[in-house]
Structures are given as C-alpha cells and as structure tokens.
Amino acid sequence: MIWFSRLPAQSRGILYMLMSVTVFSSMDMTAKLLGQRIDLSQVLWARYGGQLLVLVLIFAPRLTRALRTEHPWLQLARGLMQLGAAACFFSAIRTQGLAEATAVADLAPVLITLGAALLLGEKVGPRRMAGIGVALIGALIVIRPGAAVFSPTSLWPLGTAACLAGYALATRYIGLKESPLTGLLYSGLICTGVMSLIVPFRWVAPDSTALMLMVLIGCLGTVGQLMMIRAYAVVEASAIAPFSYAGLLAASGWGLLVFGTVPDGWTVLGALVIVAAGLYVWHRERKSGTADPVPEEMGQP
C-alpha cells in the first residue's frame, strides 16, 4: 500500500470516506439479512458487542487512558442516541429497501444544522434554512404520507436522522477535547450494556448462518467507524463530508444485488432533492466557516 501513502492527504481522506460508507452499507445489508433470522435486539447486540470486542482487542494498552472523560453524561447520551439511530434504521430496513431508508436517514446533516441553531445558538441564515426546508420536502417525497405506499414504518428512518443529529450535536459540544476512541468505547459499552439487558428476554436461537452474520456485522461496524475516523484525521471534514452521500449509491447497489429491489422514480427524485439540499447546506456552512471537523460526528448507527 505504498502507493496509497503517497497520495495527497485530500485524496486519501476521500478514499477513506468512500471505503467507510461502502463498509457501512455492507453492514446495513447484513443487518437486513440478519433481521430475517433473529430478533432485532440480537442484531443490535451483535453490532455493538462486536465493536466493543474488536476495540478492546486492538487498543488494550490504551483502554484506561481512553476511558477517561470529562463529560460522562454526554457520553451516555451519545451512546443512547447512537443506539436509537441503529434501532430505528434496522427496524426500517426490515420492511423497506436499503435505498429508501438510507435516503431519508441522509437528512441527518441538515438536521444537525437546524439543531445547532436551536440548541447551540449557532447562526443559520435564510439560505441555509431554505436548504433545510427543501431537504424535508425531499423526505416527504420518499415517504409519501397519504399515498397508497405509505405505512407507519416509513417514519423509522426519520428517527434515525434525528438520533444521528442529536449524537453529532453532543459531539460538537464536546469538540475535539476527547479522543474519538473514547467516544467509540463508550458507545460500545453503553449500547452493548443496554442490549445485554434486553436480549435474554427476546433470544431466538441463531443457526450457523445467523452466527456468521452476527460476527460479520460487528466487524463491519467497527471497520466502517475506524475508516471514517481515519478520513477525518487526514483532511478537514468540510473537504470530504459530501462524499458521505456515496453511501446512498452503495445502498442502492446492495439492494439490487442481494434483494433484487430497485428504487422507484419517486424515491430517486426525493433522494436527489435531499442530497442536493444537503450539499447546498454544507456549501453555505463551509463558506461561512461553521463547518467544523468532528472526526466521528457522522458515525453511522
């Protein structure tokens, strides 16, 4: 991989981001397959239990230092919001296509901008507010309330976007004072701990395929998260954040290859509106200097 290390920092950051969103899309595909075999609580337990185990094995000498935090309650809140995001998304993809759920979940970046204005007092001008409004219209196009294709489960991805925004705002409040590893460890501990209390009451005996997928989802989630942190470590977040939308293409590809599903025209239109609005809001934030680099803020569920 000598050629990779010789690439400019921005090119390496972009490649790390593209690898990260592709791995996360693979994790979502695995979660959809798992959801057909075992209970949702087991899928979540495998996702975060696997992350915790991998992190402990890799960073064992640094664990004591990494677990030190000046914001224990915010770490708890972040962990619970990340668990909520994953629970909503994995619930959504049990009945929806990967592309449809991912498109609505991609509202998270614009909700972060809105939340930063409401909760953190950051200034949001009329142009960015217009971008947020357009993104919400795009979500309505995908969800289509009142149409024959609508069902209450269509709202699950909105829960994912809201939880991811809350997670990112908590991260933005903490800033860069604490290591991304600290956040990852606390997320793993909190999410695994909560699900360990629930799993025994909803346990479904997994077959050999399900066991393999449970191991896989934990590994994919950890690799995707580490790749994303690496991306933000080598280049400014404002330079690579737009490439996170490549996850929508990856989700569409997995949906077609594994499940034989193709997004309909309305879904494609709504997704394009959401992505365009998200990129516009990102552009306005970058221009005004409020797009800050938070290594794990867009960490996936």
Side-chain angles (χ1 to χ4, degrees):
M1 298 293 286
I2 297 177
W3 65 270
F4 188 85
S5 62
R6 291 177 177 173
L7 291 174
Q10 184 160 330
S11 297
R12 283 185 282 124
I14 290 171
L15 287 174
Y16 275 127
M17 175 60 76
L18 293 176
M19 287 187 286
S20 174
V21 296
T22 301
V23 170
F24 276 130
S25 293
S26 303
M27 180 193 74
D28 295 337
M29 177 270 294
T30 304
K32 187 173 177 68
L33 291 172
L34 258 179
Q36 300 169 356
R37 295 176 174 271
I38 56 177
D39 188 75
L40 175 61
S41 62
Q42 293 171 265
V43 180
L44 292 166
W45 180 73
R47 158 70 177 96
Y48 290 105
Q51 172 180 310
L52 182 61
L53 178 60
V54 172
L55 289 174
V56 168
L57 291 175
I58 295 176
F59 298 104
R62 299 167 53 188
L63 287 181
T64 302
R65 185 169 70 254
L67 286 172
R68 294 172 186 163
T69 178
E70 297 179 3
H71 305 277
W73 292 109
L74 271 179
Q75 294 290 1
L76 175 62
R78 288 201 314 172
L80 292 176
M81 283 185 281
Q82 191 172 22
L83 179 60
C88 288
F89 194 80
F90 291 171
S91 295
I93 60 177
R94 296 177 79 176
T95 56
Q96 297 178 41
L98 287 172
E100 289 83 351
T102 301
V104 179
D106 276 345
L107 277 174
V110 295
L111 293 184
I112 292 168
T113 300
L114 180 61
L118 297 176
L119 301 176
L120 301 182
E122 296 183 10
K123 292 183 179 180
V124 178
R127 293 181 179 179
R128 273 186 282 170
M129 286 302 297
I132 293 169
V134 170
L136 294 174
I137 291 173
L140 290 176
I141 293 174
V142 177
I143 297 172
R144 279 165 280 175
V149 297
F150 174 77
S151 70
T153 59
S154 301
L155 300 176
W156 281 119
L158 281 177
T160 297
C163 288
L164 282 177
Y167 173 85
L169 290 171
T171 302
R172 181 174 290 187
Y173 182 82
I174 293 174
L176 300 179
K177 301 172 187 175
E178 298 187 351
S179 165
L181 177 58
T182 301
L184 280 177
L185 283 171
Y186 274 99
S187 292
L189 284 168
I190 293 164
C191 297
T192 304
V194 171
M195 297 317 304
S196 295
L197 296 175
I198 299 173
V199 160
F201 301 99
R202 303 184 62 86
W203 185 263
V204 175
D207 56 22
S208 57
T209 300
L211 284 173
M212 180 187 67
L213 293 174
M214 289 173 76
V215 173
L216 181 61
I217 195 173
C219 294
L220 288 173
T222 307
V223 171
Q225 202 83 40
L226 292 174
M227 286 283 186
M228 183 164 288
I229 290 173
R230 188 60 184 160
Y232 284 116
V234 298
V235 71
E236 291 181 353
S238 57
I240 58 173
F243 293 93
S244 65
Y245 287 110
L248 183 55
L249 296 176
S252 300
W254 283 123
L256 177 62
L257 290 174
V258 179
F259 304 102
T261 58
V262 179
D264 61 23
W266 287 109
T267 298
V268 173
L269 174 62
L272 290 174
V273 170
I274 292 171
V275 172
L279 291 175
Y280 177 75
V281 170
W282 161 80
H283 169 72
R284 295 301 305 176
E285 287 200 344
R286 189 180 187 188
K287 191 173 181 180
S288 64
T290 57
D292 56 340
V294 180
E296 51 179 328
E297 74 170 15
M298 286 312 297
Q300 301 291 310

